[in-house]
Amino acid sequence: MYRTIVQLFDERVKENPSAYIQMGKNEKGAFIPKTLIQLQEESRAIAAYLRSHGVKRGDNIGIISDNRPEWLAADLGILALGCADVPRGRDAMPYEVKHILSVTDAAVAFAENKDQCDKILSLRADLPTLKMIILIEGEEESRDGVDVVRYCDAVNEGIQLLDNGMRSDIEHQIALGGEDETATIIFTSGTTGLPKGVMLTHRNMIYQLGEIDKIIDFKPGWKWLSVLPVWHSFERIIQYVAIYERSILAYSKPIGKIMLTDLVRINPELMCSVPRIWETVKAGVNQMLKQKKPFEQKAFAFFLAAAKKYRKAEDMVFGLNPRFSRTPAVFEKIVGFIPYVFLGLIYKIGDKMAFRQIKEKFGTSFIAGISGGGSMPKDVDEFFNAIGVKLLNGYGMTETAPVIGVQTYPRSERGFMHPFLGTELRVVSTEDGHILKPGEKGELLVRGPQIMKGYYKDPERTARIIDKEGFLHTGDLAILDIHGEFSIVGRVKDTIVLSGGENIEPVPIEAALQESEYIETAVVVGQDEKYLGALIVLAEKNVERYLKDNRIPYVSRSGLSEMEEVRLLIASEIAAHVSRDKGFKAFEQISRFVLLDESFQVGRELSAKQEVKRAEIQKLYKDKIESIFR
């Protein structure tokens, strides 16, 4: 029975060594498959090479790379020796790379390409323990006392070492592996301050594999389109899910054109993503509809509206609405039955005439997208649910390796997630910590086998987030239903308190604002002020189209935010999307705003998970925010 990820992997290799596990692109962009036995030999070769250069059990090895086939091979090679990898993406800033490699005393680091290699070498003075860089792609010369070795050369030398007697030593190291060994130290993407090193064990991650299997009925040979940064815990666990479930990983990019092309080429059953990707896909569909004839646009709008009502009726009939008391739901089922039957006919017509061509963009085998790294905006969730593209919301943190719960497939209560068996949840008051009842909003606390070992070399921070009972304080606001399922409704620290004492959650307001086709991103501000304001990033292409359609002259895209016509457009959109009619209270409405021309960037305003870094935004746009409240 396996205790580590590598031992699990070896079991899968023994079962069917010729089964495919990966599909990566070659220089010409063609997908090339790799079998389990090929991946095993490559990872063993990496382990042998590292072993021959003095790497020993308990060492920390850096990996500065985005998702690609070599990443998993390097990971398995590192884990085979009882070491921990310290991963980060290639968009990491130099100060982040310096922090994670110096704090963990890494002697060896993998670099995806020459740029990453040069980035690491430029920090040499601050990395006294660094002795070697293994360069996955490209070439670079050794310098400053650091050996730079090409990945392919390391693999070739490792194979020779295996053939010359080291294989038995590597197998012995694998057999020594235990479930409580640290498998990885993932430094959080850092929406505030320097990232913290989250120590995750083999047990943390292996526990989740069997639980995910109970929530989604996997079939061997299913393909995953891998688009998220693999250094992050969400995509990382999917690498291991693919091994556990005998699936295939196809590596792509979270870039609209590339991802949509690869969806058709690979024809996957599953894809993991963050909400922003689905927002982008929805925006692309809307943009495509703008090119259609007026009749076709109206027909799509009619079928979409009918489909949304049909799905709501379906939820009533099948009891998929969240429940906070044990009163019978028979009346709800009766009320939903007639529209469910009647609208079902319209839905079938709409599916054939309007929705099918959208779904074909995901391939013919697509079953579900699993979304994590933030709550799915309601309008995006409703849109894809209506047209028949299944999105399963997942929730977790790096500190929980990362999954706490996922919507079940094919049935789950709308907007709620099912916690893993063995995971305990509490929702407590943010004021005095008492346990709340179903339907009451408070901070979510979690206890279970996926909870991290702690923050690396930081026991004080560890003690602040994990209490004496072993519950991790997530910092997220949640509500529970009577079945123990949960929904995330905001962040404790994101709560804005106005000078009048009103407590406001900015996320629902921002999601409502971003339903506008003219608003790319919105950030609500107003802590300790009399009213709320907002920073608005324009959806420039759509704003330009609006100006052209209305024959309003403009000089350039860079000057859109200065135009009075654009300000009036955005003011009307804000009023339409955040109003009493939409369920927002008077103090939740936006009184003033500032327009921004440039999109937010990962590593600047956005974390690697594409979450808004509020503290950073407060610093970057300090003057603009102050101008809102003058």
Side-chain angles (χ1 to χ4, degrees), residues 246-389:
R246 306 164 181 84
S247 304
I248 302 168
L249 292 157
Y251 296 93
S252 182
K253 299 286 184 184
I255 300 168
K257 290 183 179 179
I258 296 174
M259 184 182 73
L260 290 173
T261 299
D262 289 344
L263 276 166
V264 174
R265 290 173 66 191
I266 293 299
N267 199 25
E269 282 79 11
L270 298 159
M271 180 178 77
C272 280
S273 63
V274 292
R276 190 173 289 268
I277 289 178
W278 295 106
E279 292 176 44
T280 302
V281 174
K282 178 178 178 287
V285 172
N286 289 334
Q287 191 64 35
M288 178 188 71
L289 291 171
K290 296 287 184 183
Q291 314 304 319
K292 300 285 186 180
K293 297 176 182 178
F295 169 76
E296 292 176 305
Q297 293 181 32
K298 290 178 180 178
F300 185 88
F302 167 78
F303 285 123
L304 181 62
K308 288 181 178 180
K309 292 178 181 177
Y310 167 70
R311 293 299 187 192
K312 287 181 179 179
E314 182 181 53
D315 291 346
M316 296 171 71
V317 171
F318 290 98
L320 298 181
N321 289 320
R323 301 186 62 221
F324 306 113
S325 69
R326 298 195 178 276
T327 54
V330 175
F331 180 72
E332 184 180 89
K333 293 177 182 289
I334 294 171
V335 170
F337 182 74
I338 293 176
Y340 172 69
V341 174
F342 174 72
L343 292 170
L345 299 174
I346 299 176
Y347 177 82
K348 288 181 180 178
I349 298 171
D351 183 53
K352 193 170 185 178
M353 294 181 62
F355 305 150
R356 194 165 295 176
Q357 61 183 3
I358 297 174
K359 291 191 285 187
E360 286 173 354
K361 294 183 179 297
F362 295 88
T364 58
S365 300
F366 195 75
I367 291 171
I370 301 176
S371 180
S375 297
M376 183 71 68
K378 185 178 179 182
D379 69 304
V380 176
D381 196 21
E382 288 181 347
F383 174 82
F384 285 105
N385 183 50
I387 68 173
V389 175

Side-chain angles (χ1 to χ4, degrees), residues 19 29 33-34 81 95 112 115 125 146 170 177 202 227 234 245 265 318 344 374 387 403 419 505 519 530 545 551 616:
K34 183 181 291 184
L81 297 180
Y95 76 89
E112 180 168 9
D115 288 343
V146 177
I170 300 301
H202 289 268
V227 299
F234 184 28
E245 298 293 350
R265 290 173 66 191
F318 290 98
I387 68 173
V403 187
E505 300 305 324
I519 296 175
K530 294 180 180 178
R545 191 191 69 249
R551 299 184 179 180
E616 193 65 24

